[in-house]
Amino acid sequence: LTGKKVIKLAADGLRYISGGRIPSWNEYMPLGAGKLWRKGSYPAYRGTEVRNSKERALPGESSAKPRVVYFPSCINRSMGISHQQDDKRQLTLVMESLAIKAGYEVIYPRNVDRLCCGMAFMSKGYAAAGRRKSDELENALLEASNNGEYPVVCDMSPCLFTMRENIKSGLRLYEPVEFILDHLLERLNIVQSDERITVFPVCSLKKMGLDSRLEELARICSSEVSVADTNCCGFAGDRGFTYPELNRHGLRDLKPQIPEGTVRGYSTSRTCEIGLSLHSGITYSSIVYLVDSVSSPARQ
């Protein structure tokens, strides 16, 4: 109703009056995610199990299709798209769509709306609460994966890194880039785009040694790819909202690394993508959007 300039002035004013307690606002802040449990959206595993489509399975059902357990991260269950994104579907639906396109049945852990990897608690010093949430998630994933029979994918690199650090039961845990390259690509037809894009490997991706695989996946999907990198983007989970100067400093050398004519950026962390968009002048979103946009089902 008022436009982004008025909102920015008002938000900055409130932040100033509050002594920095109110988080910083910018135009790349996403809308809230859509209601997850409406009919036709996520399956509602809330005590009463509901199967909403033939592509979504319940733990224990038999199927000839390969299966994957999808744990949508808290952030991507909460944050939707930004106004600048062309694809108006939230990431959780795109991730599911891509897996189904590749011929997979998608299984969600029971009570997924209550699950968390624990990072949000542990990073604030609440170790016991973080451990409790991590244990809850591990038990739910063991059940959904039939004790590790099916792979598990999470849509955010930082969350998956935390899961690998804490879960020791032998579950096969995949970050989205890794899962797409190792499991989905062979079951998809890719029509390479000639759009000029850039990718940014976030800290957790680098810690897992997957930064080169992000570039590999991007080059499969597009003929014009650049890689922009800094030691850290400085968003640091949610710190970019309350200490935007960290994000500004962390990305002070980002814009010169992006070739002229670059139209989109891709990464693997929703909050990092907000800061990357703000300090690059182009919209960043998950690499999953890129793969979904250039792919179609291969004949099985």
Side-chain angles (χ1 to χ4, degrees), residues 19-276:
R21 292 180 179 85
I22 293 177
S24 177
W25 180 92
N26 68 70
E27 62 182 288
Y28 293 98
M29 293 278 281
L31 302 170
K35 183 175 173 59
L36 300 184
W37 308 106
R38 63 177 177 268
K39 186 177 180 181
S41 185
Y42 285 132
Y45 296 156
R46 292 178 163 181
T48 303
E49 296 172 340
V50 177
R51 183 175 178 181
N52 285 336
S53 78
K54 63 182 180 181
E55 293 89 0
R56 295 184 177 112
L58 296 179
E61 288 185 334
S62 60
S63 171
K65 291 183 177 181
R67 293 177 140 194
V68 61
V69 176
Y70 173 30
F71 171 57
S73 62
C74 303
I75 287 178
N76 285 313
R77 297 200 311 265
S78 304
M79 292 185 177
I81 59 168
S82 68
H83 284 291
Q84 292 80 6
Q85 283 182 241
D86 292 331
D87 193 326
K88 300 306 181 186
R89 297 172 297 165
Q90 64 192 63
L91 175 60
T92 48
L93 299 180
V94 179
M95 186 76 233
E96 183 193 72
S97 168
L98 185 63
I100 291 172
K101 189 189 297 184
Y104 273 77
E105 279 196 79
V106 178
I107 300 172
Y108 287 90
R110 197 183 307 274
N111 296 318
V112 65
D113 57 332
R114 302 175 192 173
L115 298 177
C116 169
C117 71
M119 178 174 57
F121 299 94
M122 293 173 181
S123 64
K124 301 295 187 297
Y126 299 106
R131 181 75 258 173
R132 185 163 65 250
K133 294 308 294 182
S134 177
D135 289 346
E136 286 177 7
L137 175 61
E138 183 172 8
N139 291 333
L141 293 178
L142 281 167
E143 179 199 28
S145 67
N146 197 24
N147 288 316
E149 179 182 352
Y150 315 129
V152 176
V153 64
C154 179
D155 50 30
M156 281 255 303
S157 294
C159 302
L160 194 279
F161 177 77
T162 300
M163 290 162 65
R164 283 186 174 173
E165 288 284 291
N166 295 332
I167 293 176
K168 305 300 182 184
S169 53
L171 287 168
R172 291 178 289 154
L173 302 172
Y174 286 90
E175 185 274 344
V177 168
E178 192 179 24
F179 184 71
I180 291 168
L181 284 170
D182 292 351
H183 289 273
L184 299 189
L185 275 189
E186 64 183 9
R187 305 173 68 87
L188 295 169
N189 287 321
I190 303 294
V191 178
Q192 194 180 54
S193 168
D194 58 1
E195 251 187 2
R196 183 167 290 177
I197 66 168
T198 185
V199 294
F200 185 95
V202 296
C203 298
S204 52
L205 197 74
K206 289 187 276 192
K207 288 178 182 177
M208 292 186 286
L210 298 174
D211 41 330
S212 63
R213 302 209 77 189
L214 174 65
E215 181 180 358
E216 176 189 352
L217 180 57
R219 293 194 183 280
I220 290 170
C221 296
S222 177
S223 59
E224 296 285 342
V225 178
S226 66
V227 180
D229 197 9
T230 64
N231 185 47
C232 174
C233 77
F235 214 95
D238 62 353
R239 285 293 187 265
F241 296 123
T242 49
Y243 298 95
E245 59 272 20
L246 290 175
N247 184 226
R248 185 167 57 248
H249 182 76
L251 294 179
R252 65 195 181 280
D253 298 322
L254 174 64
K255 208 165 187 177
Q257 297 183 56
I258 300 176
E260 187 176 350
T262 301
V263 294
R264 282 178 236 286
Y266 295 98
S267 192
T268 55
S269 172
R270 188 67 187 93
T271 51
C272 296
E273 289 154 15
I274 296 170
L276 289 165

Side-chain angles (χ1 to χ4, degrees), residues 275-291:
L276 289 165
S277 300
L278 179 63
H279 295 289
S280 69
I282 61 174
T283 300
Y284 275 77
S285 56
S286 171
I287 190 74
V288 177
Y289 284 94
L290 173 63
V291 181

